[in-house]
Amino acid sequence: MRNPLIKRIPRELKSDWHKYLVIIVFMVVMIGVISGMYVGHDGMLEAVYSGREVLNLEDGRFELSKRASQEMLDAISTGEKADVREYYINKGIEEADKEVADAIEEELDSQVESAIEEAVRAQCEAYGITDEDVIKEQIDTAIDASYDEAIKEARESEEFRTAAEDAYKEAHDKVVEKVDEEWDKVADRYNLNDEFTPVKTVIYEHFYREEEEKAGSHTSNVRIYRSDSEIDKASFLEGRAPESSDEIAIDRMHADNVGIRLGDTIKVGKKQFKVVGLLSYVNYLTLHESNTDLMFDAFGFDVAMVTPEAFANLKSRIHYNYAFKYVDAPADRVEKADNSGAFLKALITQSLVFDNEIDDYLPEYLRQASNFAVSDIEGDSAGTAILCYILIGVIAFIFAITISNTIDKEASVIGTLRASGYSKRELVVHYMSMPVVVTILGAVIGNVLGYTAFKNVAINLYYESYSLPTAYSVWSNTALVKTTVIPLLLMFFVNLFVIVKKLQLSPLRFLRHDLSKSKRTKARRLPSWSFLRRFRLRILFQNMPNYGILMFGVVFIELMMCFAFGLPDSLNHYADEAGNMMFADYQYMLMDYRDEDGNVIETAEKTAEPFLATTLLYPKKESSFRTGMGSGGDESVTVYGIIDNSGFINLGSSLKEGEVLISSAFSKKFGIRKGDTLKLNAEYENKSYEFKVSGSVDYDGAVAAFMDDTSFRSVFEKEEDEFSGFFSKNEITDLDEQNIATVITSEDITKITVQLTHSIGGIVGIFKYALVVLAAALIYLLAKIIIERNEQSISMAKILGFKNKEIGSLYIIPTAVVVTVCSLAGFAIGFYLMIRIFRVFMLQMDGYFAFFLKPASAVLAVVYLLVGYAFVSILDFIRIKRIPLDVALKNVE
Amino acid sequence: MNENFLEIKDLKKSFGSGEARQEVLRGMNFTVKRGEFCVLLGPSGSGKSTLLNIIGGIDTPDEGFVSINGDKLEEMNESQLTLYRRKHLGYVFQMYNLIPNLNVKENIEVGAYLSDKPLDVEEVLTTLGLQDHKYKYPNQLSGGQQQRVSIGRAVVKNPDILMCDEPTGALDYKTSKEILALIEDCNRKFGSTVIMVTHNEAIKYMADHVIKLRDGVVRHNDINETKTSAMDLEW
């Protein structure tokens, strides 16, 4: 015979359908969204991973200041370090030889001339010629006539050969001696003495140009690659690769954002191109223009593909970018880091000996553009899963309280069943079935929706932000575990714990309704307030566990509210402040301070002021790294050398050598204060610098440090006339594009906000309202429990003559007070936590961006929740009104 | 009906401690034979409900023992006691304690489910006069009808002992007599030993065995030679 108690489950579901509907919808949405996220994200990742193979993703890239010779590329690809000692010796010998040769020539010349002069003077004397003018004339004639012969003779003499050999030898010995003397310093600088295993690579030319792209009124920067590239290829979401010199394929995400369609014509540089393809480059899943960018920028930056002919026709300078792949693929991140370190040593030494300069180096595993999306997708789902578990935990507790309440209500029945022979286990199983059934129901419906509707929502969300290839549909075990197994276990154990604890009591105590654990004999004494106030206080004490859960839920929701309001507020605030953040309207970074002809670059722009700059690294704490998260490692710090009486940065007069001012962003991000010592490391050399922080400059736009130009030159060994670029109040029009490396304007600062607003704007809006619904649902469930628990008392109060309004005030006001207090406290806690969370998040990224919440948003964050509660209290009042009088009179179990 | 099915020996039980300590059972001794209709009679506070709870294995004595069919309850652990209640006992309380969202038939099935040798549910429904109400929920029934269901839930197990704690305490005169008649009927028809706790003196006339309690001890232990049918009782 089947246990007849099973029949209670569907009836319970039916009779209390509002409650269970709220819970199931809650779970379906949560589980569905998470499941959709996982399925979408697994499908997406699958597409990304397979793309890495098929499209031949690089293992890293480097950019040189000039095109590398084949010999140099061959040398780099061996992975061997160049013989730097030999290079310095050879270079020294070359210079020494020149000097010795010059010296010998001079000496020989003077010796031969002296010998001829001596011989002529002797002859003149023999002939009795004393006139000095005649003698000089004779000497000149003799030199003209026999100089070459004499030189030849001298050169062939044994004496000369010995002397020259000695001179060369001495010079060479000196060079070797000097190199050896300096060797330790050099070796240390290039890490030449470290243990080293060469890593063989295949190197690909992967040149690009950067041009201005104009599509309608929108202008952006486009990085253009050739269509015949064998590395870092693209997959086409629409259209095809360019085939003629007036065709171009551009990034799908950029086209989406800017509104470019297939078949449109865009202007790139000075040429018109027809857009024939929308692509996703395997190394540009996010459009990060620079690896140090805080956020990608699909509005202002684009990547494109043109034919080799079209590439040759473009006018902007070629970036001599090379991509490499390891011959033996590294197994993991550790190996990738080791390989990258070894490769960099080879690259640095080889470029040194081949007289080339490294402009940029980036191993793929640190590349934001190919790792940011992947890591963000993973981060998203992990974050959402945690949210889901918190909410399911809250639901589990609500369930547990509901069941605990039901057990209280059914105490006599339970006592009777236990007395009749039902075992504790059977009753635990019985009371456990409802949460398990509801969770399974929620999980099944949620998963079905996850694999259908929500998957596409998730994928579209990713497409809104990233330049991803077409996603596959894959079965996700992670989704199953995280959306079904974990919630089920969470629900199961929370309820099991509460139910088992509750059913521990003896049958007799159930029969006697003696269910309280504490043996408190005295009631809590209350102040001599009015009867109604004391009554309310008693209700508050009676429902403490419910209010505890409510408190937790409200704090959680307020935290989310702070996020939902704070993110757009922070973005807007940052965008509004961007103009003020710039200390110069234009910052021109030059390729070099001299042009191709060796002349120092100048400008006629009156407001232009030269500055010096270099990039150093500020080491972050290991704990703040986020695996796979773009540049992850150290923070890039731009160190500026500012001229005296600068019109842009006021250094004050007290800045001494070795002292710097840091930007306010730098100070806030890492909590660096005046008087601290700042240790910064060189990017590609094993060199570090220490500075004393003597104050900060109000500049939130970037992580930067400022020092005077004299100190800068001495610290970074710069020439007297050397500089890195210009600050300017106006656009500088007389600089040759070829010489400009980058221009930084306020748009570069706001691009992050434009991108983020586009990517998350819509979702955040929906999120706010979802939170109100969530808050209302949570309060609804808990308030319902409080009223259900007191049905008999409410009914009795009605019999005694209390009006519905009075009863309403008794039972609704305590909850209202708790909700209001919790909302305010929750907001304060949420706000504080959000600032912390934001800071931790910022530490993982490059750059700085502070959390900001408008006062109006702070008010709204609380008001929204209270509005949600207002609806619930109306429902509560209706519920109180509907409680019949006979509940207190009849023995209706 | 000759063997001593239930034996109560030197049973003592007290509640509270120190000055508040109250001895409810102070050395109680008696036996009940299989199939007997035994009434435990006494005023409030005489210890009759405590005694019934101890016999039912839902309370434990401080001293002495209860033995059923030779098995001592105090030697059983919790799961054995549960099994004992499951296999041998049927309970009827003053409050009916029915499950609100199961109908009449299903409430009776709750008892049947526990038993290895349950009676036919339909037959029990007929015996109890509940055939017309079997699909109704408890809140659609009168107090008397609810108590019938409660009896049905107890007897359908075909228990060795039917424990009834003031089964008519909440009922009117007429309904009380009907309920008593039903219990009498079940005792006769299904052969269960009935132990009924009541403070109603009139009920003793329908019993085989009357045990009168006062202040925690057995004051009278009488065997009725002639019984009065429940329907003929007057009070």
Side-chain angles (χ1 to χ4, degrees):
Chain A
M1 185 177 189
R2 270 180 59 192
N3 188 340
L5 294 178
I6 291 170
K7 291 179 181 160
R8 298 185 73 197
I9 312 284
R11 283 176 204 167
E12 175 75 21
L13 272 175
K14 199 176 148 193
S15 71
D16 223 349
W17 65 270
H18 322 77
K19 182 172 78 189
Y20 293 112
L21 184 72
V22 169
I23 294 179
I24 290 176
V25 166
F26 209 93
M27 295 190 79
V28 164
V29 172
M30 287 309 297
I31 291 175
V33 167
I34 313 291
S35 162
M37 287 287 252
Y38 275 107
V39 175
H41 125 277
D42 281 12
M44 207 84 235
L45 287 184
E46 186 62 30
V48 170
Y49 290 141
S50 67
R52 286 179 172 180
E53 294 296 317
V54 178
L55 304 170
N56 204 20
L57 177 67
E58 64 182 29
D59 282 328
R61 60 170 284 260
F62 57 92
E63 192 174 321
L64 300 174
S65 61
K66 57 188 181 199
R67 189 172 189 159
S69 62
Q70 191 54 47
E71 198 189 344
M72 177 181 175
L73 294 179
D74 290 345
I76 297 171
S77 65
T78 60
E80 297 286 353
K81 281 188 290 194
D83 191 341
V84 176
R85 184 173 172 273
E86 188 67 30
Y87 164 76
Y88 276 113
I89 290 173
N90 287 343
K91 207 174 161 192
I93 286 176
E94 202 179 300
E95 276 169 25
D97 281 357
K98 219 172 134 199
E99 276 171 31
V100 169
D102 288 349
I104 288 175
E105 283 304 315
E106 211 174 300
E107 184 62 25
L108 193 64
D109 183 64
S110 100
Q111 276 192 24
V112 165
E113 279 186 7
S114 303
I116 293 173
E117 188 181 339
E118 211 175 304
V120 171
R121 282 188 187 279
Q123 267 186 354
C124 286
E125 205 180 309
Y127 288 107
I129 301 166
T130 53
D131 186 345
E132 190 58 27
D133 288 339
V134 177
I135 295 171
K136 276 190 178 159
E137 199 178 316
Q138 288 300 318
I139 292 170
D140 287 344
T141 315
I143 286 175
D144 283 345
S146 56
Y147 179 81
D148 290 345
E149 186 65 23
I151 285 277
K152 198 181 166 203
E153 206 173 294
R155 277 191 207 282
E156 282 168 3
S157 72
E158 190 56 37
E159 195 189 347
F160 172 82
R161 245 184 258 147
T162 317
E165 268 172 24
D166 287 350
Y168 279 115
K169 191 168 179 301
E170 195 184 333
H172 291 182
D173 288 348
K174 266 192 185 159
V175 167
V176 174
E177 198 181 312
K178 195 171 175 208
V179 168
D180 283 341
E181 253 174 43
E182 299 269 311
W183 176 246
D184 283 348
K185 241 161 124 189
V186 175
D188 193 34
R189 186 164 170 183
Y190 298 111
N191 297 309
L192 297 174
N193 291 334
D194 294 358
E195 206 174 297
F196 175 81
T197 318
V199 182
K200 279 191 183 154
T201 52
V202 179
I203 296 173
Y204 300 83
E205 258 187 13
H206 197 41
F207 299 165
Y208 65 84
R209 293 181 192 263
E210 289 192 341
E211 292 275 7
E212 191 180 74
E213 172 194 295
K214 272 194 175 165
S217 59
H218 187 89
T219 309
S220 44
N221 186 29
V222 60
R223 190 167 292 167
I224 306 149
Y225 293 91
R226 288 160 50 138
S227 58
D228 60 350
S229 183
E230 286 173 11
I231 188 103
D232 296 332
K233 295 186 201 170
S235 71
F236 286 82
L237 288 105
E238 274 181 71
R240 56 169 172 81
E243 285 162 4
S244 67
S245 63
D246 60 348
E247 289 181 345
I248 193 168
I250 63 167
D251 184 82
R252 195 268 319 157
M253 169 77 190
H254 173 77
D256 247 23
N257 283 6
V258 176
I260 302 172
R261 299 218 159 82
L262 220 58
D264 286 0
T265 302
I266 58 171
K267 195 172 171 192
V268 173
K270 292 191 169 60
K271 289 182 73 78
Q272 299 279 348
F273 284 92
K274 187 181 171 198
V275 178
V276 294
L278 300 181
L279 53 73
S280 154
Y281 267 119
V282 65
N283 58 338
Y284 282 102
L285 300 182
T286 48
L287 290 174
H288 277 90
E289 188 167 3
S290 151
N291 206 48
T292 53
D293 282 352
L294 185 56
M295 184 49 67
F296 54 90
D297 175 21
F299 277 96
F301 178 61
D302 186 19
V303 281
M305 178 192 281
V306 295
T307 59
E309 300 79 53
F311 188 84
N313 291 339
L314 290 167
K315 293 285 174 249
S316 64
R317 79 177 174 92
I318 292 178
H319 289 254
Y320 296 105
N321 180 58
Y322 295 86
F324 62 87
K325 283 201 84 156
Y326 300 117
V327 171
D328 299 316
D332 51 24
R333 200 181 151 87
V334 176
E335 213 171 294
K336 282 179 184 173
D338 290 347
N339 279 6
S340 164
F343 178 80
L344 184 59
K345 277 177 197 164
L347 177 65
I348 289 171
T349 53
Q350 296 292 359
S351 53
L352 185 75
V353 303
F354 281 98
D355 262 336
N356 210 327
E357 263 177 52
I358 307 169
D359 282 344
D360 201 6
Y361 169 71
L362 183 64
E364 194 281 330
Y365 78 101
L366 292 181
R367 185 184 171 85
Q368 296 234 56
S370 50
N371 289 303
F372 183 91
V374 181
S375 139
D376 205 41
I377 293 169
E378 279 164 1
D380 274 356
S381 42
T384 323
I386 292 168
L387 285 188
C388 171
Y389 301 149
I390 293 176
L391 282 177
I392 287 173
V394 170
I395 291 276
F397 274 107
I398 291 176
F399 234 120
I401 288 185
T402 314
I403 286 168
S404 150
N405 209 29
T406 311
I407 291 174
D408 285 353
K409 245 167 90 177
E410 295 187 348
S412 318
V413 174
I414 294 168
T416 308
L417 291 175
R418 292 279 285 119
S420 307
Y422 271 85
S423 67
K424 225 183 281 173
R425 206 188 121 267
E426 279 166 321
L427 292 180
V428 168
V429 168
H430 173 62
Y431 285 103
M432 280 298 294
S433 14
M434 187 58 91
V436 170
V437 164
V438 169
T439 316
I440 291 177
L441 216 60
V444 168
I445 303 174
N447 269 300
V448 169
L449 286 176
Y451 274 88
T452 52
F454 289 121
K455 181 194 86 176
N456 296 329
V457 172
I459 287 177
N460 284 334
L461 210 62
Y462 294 141
Y463 279 138
E464 285 280 300
S465 308
Y466 309 129
S467 305
L468 294 161
T470 313
Y472 306 145
S473 250
V474 289
W475 168 258
S476 169
N477 284 332
T478 334
L480 185 74
V481 170
K482 296 206 171 177
T483 64
T484 310
V485 178
I486 294 181
L488 205 62
L489 290 178
L490 202 63
M491 201 72 155
F492 185 83
F493 284 110
V494 169
N495 282 286
L496 186 69
F497 176 75
V498 174
I499 293 170
V500 165
K501 217 170 150 213
K502 199 86 192 172
L503 289 176
Q504 280 307 325
L505 300 176
S506 68
L508 201 56
R509 286 184 68 181
F510 277 107
L511 285 167
R512 287 176 182 156
H513 283 258
D514 173 21
L515 303 178
S516 83
K517 294 272 187 312
S518 66
K519 289 281 172 201
R520 189 152 47 84
T521 46
K522 281 186 190 166
R524 223 184 244 106
R525 285 189 72 114
L526 297 180
S528 52
W529 292 344
S530 72
F531 165 70
L532 285 180
R533 279 178 81 184
R534 276 181 286 137
F535 198 160
R536 280 187 204 113
L537 211 57
R538 293 266 176 234
I539 292 169
L540 194 79
F541 290 143
Q542 179 203 3
N543 292 292
M544 270 327 229
N546 296 355
Y547 288 130
I549 298 277
L550 187 69
M551 226 176 280
F552 179 76
V554 168
V555 169
F556 175 72
I557 285 166
E558 279 298 341
L559 174 69
M560 295 292 99
M561 284 281 192
C562 283
F563 173 76
F565 277 102
L567 196 55
D569 275 7
S570 305
L571 290 175
N572 292 336
H573 179 70
Y574 193 79
D576 292 345
E577 292 293 307
N580 304 334
M581 283 178 194
M582 297 292 293
F583 55 82
D585 297 324
Y586 294 88
Q587 240 186 74
Y588 289 85
M589 292 291 285
L590 301 178
M591 296 296 296
D592 194 356
Y593 73 110
R594 288 178 193 276
D595 62 19
E596 279 176 342
D597 306 325
N599 302 318
V600 172
I601 295 171
E602 287 175 345
T603 172
E605 171 56 43
K606 290 217 171 63
T607 60
E609 173 185 307
F611 67 89
L612 289 132
T614 188
T615 305
L616 297 179
L617 298 174
Y618 179 75
K620 289 182 192 173
K621 282 188 194 128
E622 287 269 341
S623 56
S624 66
F625 292 4
R626 183 167 157 194
T627 318
M629 183 71 196
S631 66
D634 295 341
E635 179 87 26
S636 280
V637 182
T638 312
V639 181
Y640 290 96
I642 305 292
I643 59 166
D644 285 347
N645 303 317
S646 163
F648 296 91
I649 294 287
N650 180 14
L651 292 180
S653 53
S654 58
L655 211 58
K656 298 190 195 89
E657 171 126 19
E659 287 186 348
V660 291
L661 298 181
I662 58 172
S663 67
S664 45
F666 196 1
S667 162
K668 286 183 214 162
K669 181 167 181 178
F670 296 102
I672 301 170
R673 308 249 173 286
K674 186 177 173 179
D676 287 355
T677 302
L678 190 64
K679 192 178 170 194
L680 301 173
N681 302 324
E683 262 184 311
Y684 303 121
E685 293 168 32
N686 186 19
K687 258 179 125 172
S688 55
Y689 305 88
E690 279 193 7
F691 302 102
K692 197 178 163 208
V693 178
S694 68
S696 71
V697 170
D698 186 18
Y699 173 45
D700 270 348
V703 174
F706 304 89
M707 59 203 296
D708 68 68
D709 60 339
T710 322
S711 306
F712 190 97
R713 281 180 221 285
S714 102
V715 172
F716 298 106
E717 297 162 18
K718 299 289 176 192
E719 301 289 331
E720 199 50 46
D721 57 350
E722 193 170 345
F723 65 99
S724 314
F726 295 106
F727 295 141
S728 173
K729 289 188 174 133
N730 304 314
E731 192 177 349
I732 303 179
T733 48
D734 56 355
L735 293 177
D736 188 341
E737 288 242 340
Q738 295 275 354
N739 298 322
I740 302 173
T742 49
V743 187
I744 303 167
T745 65
S746 63
E747 272 176 30
D748 292 282
I749 293 193
T750 52
K751 69 183 183 185
I752 163 184
T753 62
V754 174
Q755 184 63 57
L756 275 176
T757 307
H758 175 84
S759 296
I760 59 160
I763 288 296
V764 167
I766 297 167
F767 191 53
K768 271 185 218 167
Y769 298 108
L771 283 174
V772 176
V773 176
L774 197 72
L778 189 70
I779 301 169
Y780 168 84
L781 291 173
L782 289 163
K784 188 172 189 300
I785 292 171
I786 293 169
I787 290 170
E788 272 174 1
R789 237 179 121 163
N790 289 286
E791 258 183 2
Q792 216 154 359
S793 316
I794 292 170
S795 172
M796 185 53 84
K798 283 185 180 179
I799 293 167
L800 293 174
F802 280 87
K803 292 179 198 147
N804 280 333
K805 223 169 120 187
E806 286 167 324
I807 301 171
S809 87
L810 278 176
Y811 285 90
I812 294 172
I813 287 178
T815 309
V817 169
V818 170
V819 170
T820 312
V821 171
C822 286
S823 308
L824 292 171
F827 172 76
I829 298 170
F831 182 68
Y832 176 75
L833 281 177
M834 211 57 223
I835 290 175
R836 308 278 301 182
I837 292 169
F838 225 72
R839 213 169 149 251
V840 170
F841 178 65
M842 274 299 127
L843 275 178
Q844 294 166 350
M845 316 262 288
D846 280 337
Y848 180 71
F849 184 19
F851 182 70
F852 178 81
L853 193 70
K854 284 193 290 193
S857 303
V859 173
L860 279 180
V862 175
V863 168
Y864 269 36
L865 196 139
L866 294 181
V867 167
Y869 172 66
F871 282 111
V872 172
S873 58
I874 293 169
L875 291 178
D876 279 349
F877 187 65
I878 295 170
R879 198 181 289 145
I880 287 174
K881 263 171 78 177
R882 282 189 184 158
I883 293 175
L885 297 174
D886 61 2
V887 170
L889 297 176
K890 269 173 75 176
N891 172 42
V892 182
E893 285 291 342
Chain B
M1 232 206 252
N2 292 324
E3 52 177 310
N4 285 340
F5 179 60
L6 170 71
E7 187 184 1
I8 308 292
K9 189 80 182 161
D10 298 329
L11 215 57
K12 289 185 181 172
K13 175 79 179 175
S14 58
F15 293 106
S17 59
E19 281 181 21
R21 186 182 166 86
Q22 195 190 346
E23 272 197 296
V24 182
L25 302 180
R26 297 189 289 181
M28 206 167 263
N29 293 287
F30 65 88
T31 56
V32 177
K33 291 190 166 55
R34 186 186 286 277
E36 231 174 34
F37 192 127
C38 174
V39 168
L40 299 175
L41 202 60
S44 290
S46 59
K48 52 190 190 301
S49 286
T50 304
L51 177 62
L52 193 76
N53 289 337
I54 293 173
I55 296 170
I58 57 174
D59 206 350
T60 49
D62 297 337
E63 282 177 46
F65 66 84
V66 174
S67 146
I68 301 224
N69 217 9
D71 297 327
K72 287 185 181 170
L73 296 192
E74 75 268 15
E75 287 170 2
M76 296 182 188
N77 61 24
E78 209 195 312
S79 57
Q80 286 168 324
L81 277 173
T82 302
L83 201 66
Y84 155 72
R85 291 197 297 268
R86 194 177 182 112
K87 300 295 171 208
H88 302 293
L89 297 190
Y91 251 111
V92 179
F93 294 96
Q94 180 176 357
M95 286 305 166
Y96 332 115
N97 301 344
L98 300 177
I99 297 173
N101 51 6
L102 291 186
N103 63 28
V104 167
K105 191 180 170 198
E106 288 157 355
N107 262 293
I108 291 173
E109 281 172 348
V110 166
Y113 168 74
L114 294 170
S115 177
D116 297 335
K117 45 177 181 28
L119 303 177
D120 180 55
V121 175
E122 290 296 330
E123 194 186 328
V124 172
L125 281 168
T126 310
T127 307
L128 296 170
L130 290 170
Q131 271 300 349
D132 295 341
H133 306 290
K134 66 180 176 184
Y135 296 119
K136 287 183 181 165
Y137 286 102
N139 64 359
Q140 296 170 303
L141 302 176
S142 68
Q145 284 167 331
Q146 288 192 53
Q147 190 59 298
R148 281 167 193 255
V149 180
S150 154
I151 293 167
R153 179 177 63 193
V155 299
V156 76
K157 287 172 76 180
N158 199 2
D160 295 326
I161 308 174
L162 184 61
M163 317 279 281
C164 307
D165 191 356
E166 301 274 12
T168 57
L171 301 175
D172 61 47
Y173 171 72
K174 191 167 166 276
T175 317
S176 294
K177 287 218 299 191
E178 283 170 12
I179 292 298
L180 290 172
L182 273 174
I183 296 171
E184 187 179 49
D185 220 23
C186 291
N187 168 248
R188 206 166 31 229
K189 199 168 171 184
F190 306 121
S192 313
T193 306
V194 175
I195 300 177
M196 185 187 290
V197 161
T198 180
H199 63 275
N200 187 343
E201 281 275 347
I203 294 176
K204 70 181 181 189
Y205 299 112
M206 64 179 284
D208 295 308
H209 188 170
V210 181
I211 298 165
K212 279 192 179 172
L213 311 176
R214 201 184 318 144
D215 298 330
V217 289
V218 176
R219 295 286 173 187
H220 296 281
N221 188 345
D222 303 324
I223 301 294
N224 268 347
E225 293 305 328
T226 52
K227 294 199 290 182
T228 309
S229 143
M231 290 312 283
D232 296 335
L233 295 179
E234 297 286 342
W235 65 85

